[in-house]
Amino acid sequence: MIHSLFLVNASGDIFLEKHWKSVVSRSVCDYFFEAQERATEPENVPPVIPTPHHYLISVLRHRIYFVAVIQSEVPPLFVIEFLHRVVDTFQDYFGVCTEAAIKDNVVVVYELLEEMLDNGFPLATESNILKELIKPPTILRTMVNTITGSTNVGEQLPTGQLSVVPWRRTGVKYTNNEAYFDVVEEIDAIIDKSGSTITAEIQGVIDACVKLTGMPDLTLSFMNPRLLDDVSFHPCVRFKRWEAERILSFIPPDGNFRLLSYHVSSQNLVAIPVYVKHNITFREGSSQGRFDLTLGPKQTMGKAVESVLVSSQLPRGVLNANLNPSQGTYTFDPVTKMLSWDVGKINPQKLPSLKGTMSLQAGASKPDENPTINIQFKIQQMAISGLKVNRLDMYGEKYKPFKGIKYMTKAGKFQVRT
Amino acid sequence: NSEIFELKAELNSDKKEKKKEAVKKVIASMTVGKDVSALFPDVVNCMQTDNLELKKLVYLYLMNYAKSQPDMAIMAVNTFVKDCEDPNPLIRALAVRTMGCIRVDKITEYLCEPLRKCLKDEDPYVRKTAAVCVAKLHDINAQLVEDQGFLDTLKDLISDSNPMVVANAVAALSEIAESHPNSNLLDLNPQTINKLLTALNECTEWGQIFILDCLANYTPRDDRESQSICERVTPRLSHANSAVVLSAVKVLMKFMEMLPKDLDYYGTLLKKLAPPLVTLLSAEPELQYVALRNINLIVQRRPEILKHEMKVFFVKYNDPIYVKLEKLDIMIRLASQANIAQVLAELKEYATEVDVDFVRKAVRAIGRCAIKVEQSAERCVSTLLDLIQTKVNYVVQEAIVVIKDIFRKYPNKYESVIATLCENLDSLDEPEARAAMIWIVGEYAERIDNADELLESFLEGFHDESTQVQLQLLTGIVKLFLKKPTETQELVQQVLSLATQDSDNPDLRDRGYIYWRLLSTDPVAAKEVVLAEKPLISEETDLIEPTLLEELICHIGTLASVYHKPPSAFVEGSRGVQHKRLPGSAGSGESVDSPDTGSAAGVSEAPPAVIPSQGDLLGDLLNLDLTPPTTTGPPPPTSGMQMGAMDLLGGGLDSLVSLLYTVDSMAAGFGAPPAVMPTSFNAPVSGGLDDLFDLGGGVGMPMGSYSPPKTVWLPAMKAKGLEISGTFARRSGVIQMEMTLTNKAMSVMTDFAIQFNRNSFGLAPAGPLQVLTPLSPNQSIEVSLPLNTVGPVMKMEPLNNLQVAVKNNIDVFYFSCQYPISMLFVEDGKMERQVFLATWKDIPNDNESQFQIKDCHLNAASNKLQGSNIFTIAKRTVEGQDMLYQSIKLTNGIWVLAELRVQAGNPNYTVSLKCRAPEVSQSVFQSYEAVLKN
């Protein structure tokens, strides 16, 4: 199972280590550093690295490498999923998952890691149970602890671990009972030069924030459940009921959790909410290139496209760009050649555009590569797949909760080739 | 120092509150790395407390420092023993958990009793924690755990009523089993399987992974059990944890092998597998990478699952490079006629990206598509030409390398592009690209006007080239010479002397000498050899060898599946690993797909495999009486073209050769069969040696060709007193007819001569019958007559019948005898694994015949067979049955493919033979029997 964990920052320093069995020397990370040096970009470090006696499995999150050391055959996905859980827990506890936050809370970090694995076996990875065991730091408590040298170890033992619904605390009480669900869809797409869709798919999630007293039993139904043919559920969802009736039935964890994630594949017709008209050209023998980009909405069911951000890695030969945005602001980094244009909201009556020239090195040949345009955007009150919740019911408790559903669509990896 | 001193005083305070605060301070110091080990006795003293928080803190401290203070740690034992009997289950669990983390030998013994109690605790939370503790203890002292019987208790916990206990017991056992590969710790039967499946639904995500991985080791009794397990595992495909999903995929991929293909459920299951795999690809890149490596295996085993999902493998430009390369690989595997247009458009797009490695692989991928999907070849070639026009150096080079392969696959189709390729000659600076270009120029020298100039330009820097280029240049120029002898004589002499005289690379020198010798002795043969028609290259050259693939499918989701290497390569030290196999499918015996599994694709580096063209050779056998025999010796020099070449060589090369006396004497060995045994490594060795090698345990050392005992062919009565008994043998690749001539008459016999009638394989004496002295009455003489197979051919009945005429001073006598067909098995009859597979599939099933060999008792069948030039290409073991896949080549070029099944303890072997000329099967079988039983 998982032997040790090292946290490595972007400059290649180990700033935290934790061992669940015997101690593994830091020098094992030398193999990781070698791979890190070879990688052209930080994200290109291979996730599984063999060393003579160990394997290093790592994930890169928030510019920190979480490097797990294993000694025997352990499923790599098991390790990666666990590392994700560690990242989520840190974020949950400290608000951000940064080197500074981890260093500031080093005692809590060790306590958490100690509870999450026992001898390398996962022990308590549910946020609910962990919070019972170890209190999240607050400013006040940190101050008190510094003065008195006291710790955050809870005086309670995790009763939830004994329960048949290990994801839910017992004895939950609220004065305001509320259940909110966010349907968030990310659209991944590749659009070719001519504007036709090469591939488009949707990754959707339903995130919930449930603050309900007692042991509520919820059911959630959809107007069009047939959209959901590829789903992953939180363990609380009763799978049989879904199979039979296409209804989500569950006793929710307390607080924030992801109820469900789903995938609408490229085989279904996926609506593309924006289009791009572009003309990026270089002429042989000229040290100037033309840049012309216009954005417009389509298939948005009348909803506004907001928070639009366009970025593109221009060819290496480009020295500078002299452009004129019709709205928003743009920046061009002459070192990384990254062009980004913060567009804001698209007004369908007056389409945003970015036009101008790019200057090339004098005498350099015409660049070979065609830049790809990356687009980020958000559309409120709409799930692009068309998914709609029908109703939410609660059983098992007598009070009437507040209920709310929100929809949002964002761009995931949305790329336009030129 | 003072801080420690102060803390010490506080820890020993009478006031509970003060004590607690002191322990907290100690822990805080510890976690930030200060050494507070000096306080060990004082902290341990605080352990006996009812205050839970204090207890936890002391435990934390203990785990950290016990190792460095083993003597002190013993003081803690008593408290652990007491805590393990605490009424609160959470305290009992905490105690047992902490106990296991104290890695001190002295202490572990004291902990056995409390652990035993906790394993049988009434509370599941305690039992589940205790289960993990057994694994911890095993890590510290394996012997102790076995002696105390904890392993059995752990096994009992698999049937526990609580799912979490089951999951942890399985996890602990799996971890222990890794260091005891043959211990049967996880001995699964239908009852335990049922327990596991029940627990699967109710335990945590991590527990589900352990249980699924454990289930994957089980082999269901029949297809019905298999289906019911699949049905209960399928819901796991919708789990949010990707490790659960992949482990479930593993179980399903393995168990569906047992389902009949015509079952409705089989199709349903196939459909259910695609969406979760696709979903894995939308996760974080690290997850994607592991998923892609596994999908690569799944696609090879069951391409139908993802055949419609090509688009999800399209590369996004900001994917990490390790994801891009994997996606590309899978795109090629999924490429088919239906989607090739899309794939090509994508690949072309990738070829303009920035990352050099990725661009190269994309260009190569275009070539692989051309070879895989015939209908797309033209499109691929024109795409490659477009890319060459970009003049981007590395793109051009990759394109030329793949175009060479396309020429090999589709000869005489795309040669019009050669001119374009030649334009880029100067820009090639990588050996592989240079070698490919030289190959193209040499191969198509007759169509390239200035081929000699082009090749000559490479010669200047000959010694700076890499070996690959040098070898290719040598061959290329020899080809050119054979095609255009008049203008290129000087060039060929130049390259031959560069290769043989000025090079110290043995491969290059040897090849140089061989060409030289060939050209000088027999230019026609040289032409036949060097310009022989090339076999086509096969479709996919980088498939994982089927037996390995089967094993890897059983290990989906593991490191082995990420590295595509067998798990035995991953386990530290010498701990053996049991090889896992996919179960056979219901209804059809495993023999149905066995040729698949017996064959093996070379790993990616292996050179493209070749398929022998058998048409002509077959023709020879089938039209035995129709055509005059073809000989392989030099034909009468009739054609003007050939004459010309001969003359040229006579004048040009011979003079050169005579200068090089040493070369000549060295090369002279090629003419006659060598005296010892170097040419064929399985030439028979003398009896004594033979025995010695036998004793060596049959480690691949062949034992020499089988030769039956002599029998009387011509009785004295029928031949006026001449008795001939004889047999056949194959020595150093030469067939020998070994005879004992006995004179039972009253007068001296002289003037012996021998002649054969036309026969099935063209056997003929290679020289006169050597009986030098007259044969006196009652005298016997042993004669060995070497035979060749270039005599006239006629089909005989039986096939191996030989009619012989022997003459002496008295009369002419006729007799017939039968030679074992194994005499005709040639030494180079070992087929490439891939070719074997392709050929086996290619030969219609009607041509297959099966025979039984009874009462055979052997240990090293394959060695024995190899001695007779029956070559084992692959071996696999299925349920105790060894399957040997073998190939044989006859002197006339006919291939016989065989599958030999041997069951341990069963003296009856089964041999199945497949051959394009099935009439030889009976005789081949007889040879098998004879070889195996003698």
Side-chain angles (χ1 to χ4, degrees), chain B residues 688-707:
Chain B
L689 267 180
D690 210 340
D691 289 347
L692 261 178
F693 282 119
D694 255 356
L695 286 176
V699 196
M701 187 61 202
M703 293 178 275
S705 172
Y706 161 69
S707 167

PDB file of all heavy atoms in Angstrom, chain B residues 688-707:
ATOM      1  N   GLY B 688      28.893 -39.340 -27.581  1.00  0.00           N
ATOM      2  CA  GLY B 688      29.293 -39.012 -26.215  1.00  0.00           C
ATOM      3  C   GLY B 688      28.842 -37.621 -25.808  1.00  0.00           C
ATOM      4  O   GLY B 688      28.207 -37.439 -24.776  1.00  0.00           O
ATOM      5  N   LEU B 689      29.108 -36.684 -26.680  1.00  0.00           N
ATOM      6  CA  LEU B 689      28.702 -35.312 -26.406  1.00  0.00           C
ATOM      7  C   LEU B 689      27.208 -35.214 -26.261  1.00  0.00           C
ATOM      8  O   LEU B 689      26.688 -34.551 -25.380  1.00  0.00           O
ATOM      9  CB  LEU B 689      29.145 -34.413 -27.562  1.00  0.00           C
ATOM     10  CG  LEU B 689      30.491 -33.753 -27.387  1.00  0.00           C
ATOM     11  CD1 LEU B 689      30.773 -32.913 -28.601  1.00  0.00           C
ATOM     12  CD2 LEU B 689      30.471 -32.905 -26.131  1.00  0.00           C
ATOM     13  N   ASP B 690      26.570 -35.915 -27.165  1.00  0.00           N
ATOM     14  CA  ASP B 690      25.127 -35.914 -27.174  1.00  0.00           C
ATOM     15  C   ASP B 690      24.579 -36.264 -25.789  1.00  0.00           C
ATOM     16  O   ASP B 690      23.735 -35.571 -25.230  1.00  0.00           O
ATOM     17  CB  ASP B 690      24.659 -36.956 -28.185  1.00  0.00           C
ATOM     18  CG  ASP B 690      23.345 -36.573 -28.779  1.00  0.00           C
ATOM     19  OD1 ASP B 690      22.642 -35.758 -28.157  1.00  0.00           O
ATOM     20  OD2 ASP B 690      23.041 -37.061 -29.851  1.00  0.00           O
ATOM     21  N   ASP B 691      25.128 -37.344 -25.241  1.00  0.00           N
ATOM     22  CA  ASP B 691      24.687 -37.771 -23.914  1.00  0.00           C
ATOM     23  C   ASP B 691      24.928 -36.694 -22.878  1.00  0.00           C
ATOM     24  O   ASP B 691      24.099 -36.415 -22.031  1.00  0.00           O
ATOM     25  CB  ASP B 691      25.443 -39.030 -23.498  1.00  0.00           C
ATOM     26  CG  ASP B 691      24.989 -40.215 -24.322  1.00  0.00           C
ATOM     27  OD1 ASP B 691      23.936 -40.064 -24.996  1.00  0.00           O
ATOM     28  OD2 ASP B 691      25.652 -41.239 -24.318  1.00  0.00           O
ATOM     29  N   LEU B 692      26.124 -36.113 -23.007  1.00  0.00           N
ATOM     30  CA  LEU B 692      26.466 -35.072 -22.061  1.00  0.00           C
ATOM     31  C   LEU B 692      25.452 -33.947 -22.076  1.00  0.00           C
ATOM     32  O   LEU B 692      24.985 -33.483 -21.053  1.00  0.00           O
ATOM     33  CB  LEU B 692      27.831 -34.480 -22.440  1.00  0.00           C
ATOM     34  CG  LEU B 692      29.009 -35.012 -21.657  1.00  0.00           C
ATOM     35  CD1 LEU B 692      30.276 -34.385 -22.154  1.00  0.00           C
ATOM     36  CD2 LEU B 692      28.803 -34.764 -20.173  1.00  0.00           C
ATOM     37  N   PHE B 693      25.108 -33.557 -23.296  1.00  0.00           N
ATOM     38  CA  PHE B 693      24.157 -32.454 -23.405  1.00  0.00           C
ATOM     39  C   PHE B 693      22.801 -32.855 -22.870  1.00  0.00           C
ATOM     40  O   PHE B 693      22.096 -32.072 -22.271  1.00  0.00           O
ATOM     41  CB  PHE B 693      24.053 -31.991 -24.854  1.00  0.00           C
ATOM     42  CG  PHE B 693      25.205 -31.140 -25.256  1.00  0.00           C
ATOM     43  CD1 PHE B 693      26.033 -31.519 -26.276  1.00  0.00           C
ATOM     44  CD2 PHE B 693      25.477 -29.958 -24.573  1.00  0.00           C
ATOM     45  CE1 PHE B 693      27.106 -30.729 -26.640  1.00  0.00           C
ATOM     46  CE2 PHE B 693      26.545 -29.180 -24.926  1.00  0.00           C
ATOM     47  CZ  PHE B 693      27.376 -29.566 -25.955  1.00  0.00           C
ATOM     48  N   ASP B 694      22.490 -34.107 -23.062  1.00  0.00           N
ATOM     49  CA  ASP B 694      21.230 -34.610 -22.526  1.00  0.00           C
ATOM     50  C   ASP B 694      21.175 -34.434 -21.017  1.00  0.00           C
ATOM     51  O   ASP B 694      20.194 -34.015 -20.453  1.00  0.00           O
ATOM     52  CB  ASP B 694      21.104 -36.098 -22.842  1.00  0.00           C
ATOM     53  CG  ASP B 694      20.117 -36.306 -23.946  1.00  0.00           C
ATOM     54  OD1 ASP B 694      19.519 -35.285 -24.351  1.00  0.00           O
ATOM     55  OD2 ASP B 694      19.950 -37.429 -24.370  1.00  0.00           O
ATOM     56  N   LEU B 695      22.304 -34.787 -20.385  1.00  0.00           N
ATOM     57  CA  LEU B 695      22.367 -34.686 -18.932  1.00  0.00           C
ATOM     58  C   LEU B 695      22.202 -33.251 -18.490  1.00  0.00           C
ATOM     59  O   LEU B 695      21.681 -32.970 -17.433  1.00  0.00           O
ATOM     60  CB  LEU B 695      23.712 -35.208 -18.436  1.00  0.00           C
ATOM     61  CG  LEU B 695      23.847 -36.724 -18.484  1.00  0.00           C
ATOM     62  CD1 LEU B 695      25.243 -37.136 -18.073  1.00  0.00           C
ATOM     63  CD2 LEU B 695      22.806 -37.363 -17.586  1.00  0.00           C
ATOM     64  N   GLY B 696      22.646 -32.368 -19.332  1.00  0.00           N
ATOM     65  CA  GLY B 696      22.577 -30.953 -19.001  1.00  0.00           C
ATOM     66  C   GLY B 696      21.148 -30.472 -18.743  1.00  0.00           C
ATOM     67  O   GLY B 696      20.935 -29.327 -18.436  1.00  0.00           O
ATOM     68  N   GLY B 697      20.198 -31.331 -18.872  1.00  0.00           N
ATOM     69  CA  GLY B 697      18.839 -30.965 -18.511  1.00  0.00           C
ATOM     70  C   GLY B 697      18.058 -30.444 -19.700  1.00  0.00           C
ATOM     71  O   GLY B 697      16.994 -29.875 -19.544  1.00  0.00           O
ATOM     72  N   GLY B 698      18.593 -30.674 -20.859  1.00  0.00           N
ATOM     73  CA  GLY B 698      17.859 -30.275 -22.062  1.00  0.00           C
ATOM     74  C   GLY B 698      17.596 -28.791 -22.090  1.00  0.00           C
ATOM     75  O   GLY B 698      16.478 -28.354 -22.293  1.00  0.00           O
ATOM     76  N   VAL B 699      18.589 -28.011 -21.845  1.00  0.00           N
ATOM     77  CA  VAL B 699      18.385 -26.561 -21.834  1.00  0.00           C
ATOM     78  C   VAL B 699      18.509 -26.030 -23.251  1.00  0.00           C
ATOM     79  O   VAL B 699      19.357 -25.232 -23.567  1.00  0.00           O
ATOM     80  CB  VAL B 699      19.408 -25.866 -20.919  1.00  0.00           C
ATOM     81  CG1 VAL B 699      18.938 -24.451 -20.610  1.00  0.00           C
ATOM     82  CG2 VAL B 699      19.597 -26.643 -19.641  1.00  0.00           C
ATOM     83  N   GLY B 700      17.650 -26.488 -24.081  1.00  0.00           N
ATOM     84  CA  GLY B 700      17.634 -25.911 -25.416  1.00  0.00           C
ATOM     85  C   GLY B 700      18.718 -26.458 -26.320  1.00  0.00           C
ATOM     86  O   GLY B 700      18.855 -26.036 -27.449  1.00  0.00           O
ATOM     87  N   MET B 701      19.501 -27.408 -25.862  1.00  0.00           N
ATOM     88  CA  MET B 701      20.529 -27.967 -26.744  1.00  0.00           C
ATOM     89  C   MET B 701      19.896 -29.098 -27.521  1.00  0.00           C
ATOM     90  O   MET B 701      19.415 -30.069 -26.955  1.00  0.00           O
ATOM     91  CB  MET B 701      21.694 -28.485 -25.894  1.00  0.00           C
ATOM     92  CG  MET B 701      22.884 -28.923 -26.717  1.00  0.00           C
ATOM     93  SD  MET B 701      23.567 -27.564 -27.680  1.00  0.00           S
ATOM     94  CE  MET B 701      24.418 -28.482 -28.948  1.00  0.00           C
ATOM     95  N   PRO B 702      19.870 -28.967 -28.820  1.00  0.00           N
ATOM     96  CA  PRO B 702      19.213 -29.990 -29.606  1.00  0.00           C
ATOM     97  C   PRO B 702      19.988 -31.300 -29.564  1.00  0.00           C
ATOM     98  O   PRO B 702      21.178 -31.345 -29.277  1.00  0.00           O
ATOM     99  CB  PRO B 702      19.197 -29.412 -31.009  1.00  0.00           C
ATOM    100  CG  PRO B 702      20.248 -28.395 -31.020  1.00  0.00           C
ATOM    101  CD  PRO B 702      20.443 -27.925 -29.628  1.00  0.00           C
ATOM    102  N   MET B 703      19.275 -32.373 -29.873  1.00  0.00           N
ATOM    103  CA  MET B 703      19.880 -33.672 -29.675  1.00  0.00           C
ATOM    104  C   MET B 703      20.202 -34.398 -30.960  1.00  0.00           C
ATOM    105  O   MET B 703      20.491 -35.581 -30.959  1.00  0.00           O
ATOM    106  CB  MET B 703      18.955 -34.528 -28.824  1.00  0.00           C
ATOM    107  CG  MET B 703      18.835 -33.983 -27.420  1.00  0.00           C
ATOM    108  SD  MET B 703      17.731 -34.923 -26.418  1.00  0.00           S
ATOM    109  CE  MET B 703      16.178 -34.224 -26.815  1.00  0.00           C
ATOM    110  N   GLY B 704      20.145 -33.755 -32.050  1.00  0.00           N
ATOM    111  CA  GLY B 704      20.522 -34.410 -33.301  1.00  0.00           C
ATOM    112  C   GLY B 704      19.328 -35.057 -33.967  1.00  0.00           C
ATOM    113  O   GLY B 704      18.370 -35.470 -33.315  1.00  0.00           O
ATOM    114  N   SER B 705      19.412 -35.136 -35.255  1.00  0.00           N
ATOM    115  CA  SER B 705      18.305 -35.626 -36.053  1.00  0.00           C
ATOM    116  C   SER B 705      18.084 -37.114 -35.821  1.00  0.00           C
ATOM    117  O   SER B 705      19.021 -37.881 -35.640  1.00  0.00           O
ATOM    118  CB  SER B 705      18.639 -35.350 -37.518  1.00  0.00           C
ATOM    119  OG  SER B 705      17.694 -35.950 -38.335  1.00  0.00           O
ATOM    120  N   TYR B 706      16.815 -37.476 -35.812  1.00  0.00           N
ATOM    121  CA  TYR B 706      16.499 -38.878 -35.589  1.00  0.00           C
ATOM    122  C   TYR B 706      16.745 -39.669 -36.864  1.00  0.00           C
ATOM    123  O   TYR B 706      16.424 -39.247 -37.965  1.00  0.00           O
ATOM    124  CB  TYR B 706      15.034 -39.011 -35.181  1.00  0.00           C
ATOM    125  CG  TYR B 706      14.507 -40.413 -35.366  1.00  0.00           C
ATOM    126  CD1 TYR B 706      14.975 -41.449 -34.541  1.00  0.00           C
ATOM    127  CD2 TYR B 706      13.587 -40.708 -36.354  1.00  0.00           C
ATOM    128  CE1 TYR B 706      14.518 -42.739 -34.720  1.00  0.00           C
ATOM    129  CE2 TYR B 706      13.125 -41.988 -36.535  1.00  0.00           C
ATOM    130  CZ  TYR B 706      13.591 -43.021 -35.715  1.00  0.00           C
ATOM    131  OH  TYR B 706      13.143 -44.280 -35.889  1.00  0.00           O
ATOM    132  N   SER B 707      17.357 -40.846 -36.703  1.00  0.00           N
ATOM    133  CA  SER B 707      17.569 -41.708 -37.850  1.00  0.00           C
ATOM    134  C   SER B 707      17.102 -43.110 -37.473  1.00  0.00           C
ATOM    135  O   SER B 707      17.496 -43.633 -36.441  1.00  0.00           O
ATOM    136  CB  SER B 707      19.065 -41.689 -38.175  1.00  0.00           C
ATOM    137  OG  SER B 707      19.360 -42.724 -39.062  1.00  0.00           O
TER     138      SER B 707
END
